[in-house]
Amino acid sequence: ISSVGGHWSDYRLRACEVVDTLLEMDESLKRGSDSECRTEFVKLLGSDEWDPSSFAFIIRDFEEVRIPRTTGRRVVMETSKMEESVARRLASAYGDQAYRVGRLAVQGFGRKILPSHSVMEAELVYCVHNEMAMTVLDFLARRTRLAYLDPKECLDALPQIVQLMGEQLSWTAERREAELDATTDFLKSISPPAE
């Protein structure tokens, strides 16, 4: 059974439909009253201590993030205030796991992936190490949807994104080039035509 497409907000419903279909196809999978789909009652990672006001605590606790700036051949760490839009995104996307992403921002991954969006490099690092993001498209299209929101800006930032992800995953030069090519092809295929 395959379930493809749809929107992220209906994954639980589709998961329930898959389970129900499997149970209809194979009676041996039924285990009494426990055979009904319970996905709507299962708490997702990050929901345990999440609160709508979490973003305010993230701003307070991670007031300053570190952003690497290159000056000639030197890389200097500068500090910057975490923007409210970034904190709101972290709280919304990661729930009570946002603090783990915030700690990465403080450690030097506080720069935004794209200047006009609130996704930080810390999220890429988190997704690689905690959400099995193994390709640039895993991150840009499946974890953050930046590929669909702003394919042009993703193309502009792609070399830096490939560099950072390659460092996290110890990619060879050949793998980095392959990621750059595959992601470029995909982003161009979904980009609106140039005016």
Side-chain angles (χ1 to χ4, degrees):
I1 293 178
S2 295
S3 180
V4 196
H7 192 267
W8 65 269
S9 62
D10 66 357
Y11 281 149
R12 284 181 177 234
L13 174 61
R14 291 192 301 129
C16 196
E17 289 171 353
V18 168
V19 169
D20 290 344
T21 301
L22 282 170
L23 293 172
E24 287 174 16
M25 293 171 61
D26 186 348
E27 291 286 323
S28 69
L29 296 173
K30 290 187 177 181
R31 294 187 181 101
S33 63
D34 290 336
S35 61
E36 290 185 19
C37 182
R38 297 181 307 266
T39 187
E40 71 178 291
F41 305 109
V42 175
K43 283 188 148 193
L44 298 176
L45 179 66
S47 66
D48 282 340
E49 296 180 26
W50 182 83
D51 180 274
S53 63
S54 296
F55 78 93
F57 298 104
I58 293 168
I59 290 173
R60 181 198 67 199
D61 294 346
F62 300 106
E63 184 175 350
E64 290 188 345
V65 296
R66 296 181 70 201
I67 301 172
R69 301 267 188 241
T70 306
T71 309
R73 292 184 179 195
R74 292 181 359 152
V75 176
V76 178
M77 285 295 184
E78 296 180 355
T79 58
S80 176
K81 284 195 171 285
M82 182 179 287
E83 296 174 19
E84 182 177 327
S85 64
V86 172
R88 283 183 182 275
R89 176 183 154 57
L90 291 179
S92 173
Y94 300 97
D96 63 20
Q97 300 298 300
Y99 277 82
R100 295 178 69 191
V101 181
R103 281 193 282 283
L104 291 167
V106 170
Q107 293 170 10
F109 299 103
R111 180 175 31 216
K112 289 182 178 181
I113 295 280
L114 306 178
S116 63
H117 295 273
S118 59
V119 178
M120 294 185 302
E121 290 177 344
E123 292 181 64
L124 184 147
V125 174
Y126 177 85
C127 288
V128 163
H129 296 289
N130 297 281
E131 295 185 358
M132 296 175 41
M134 301 304 291
T135 68
V136 174
L137 282 175
D138 280 343
F139 179 72
L140 291 178
R142 297 176 194 99
R143 300 307 188 288
T144 64
R145 301 193 43 79
L146 287 173
Y148 302 105
L149 296 172
D150 203 335
K152 168 74 172 90
E153 199 170 344
C154 285
L155 275 169
D156 294 342
L158 194 53
Q160 294 84 8
I161 297 168
V162 169
Q163 175 70 27
L164 177 58
M165 197 159 190
E167 289 168 1
Q168 296 303 307
L169 292 167
S170 302
W171 286 344
T172 63
E174 293 81 18
R175 173 65 190 270
R176 290 175 198 229
E177 191 65 34
E179 284 292 324
L180 190 63
D181 292 344
T183 308
T184 297
D185 290 345
F186 177 80
L187 292 170
K188 284 183 177 179
S189 77
I190 64 169
S191 294
E195 294 178 15

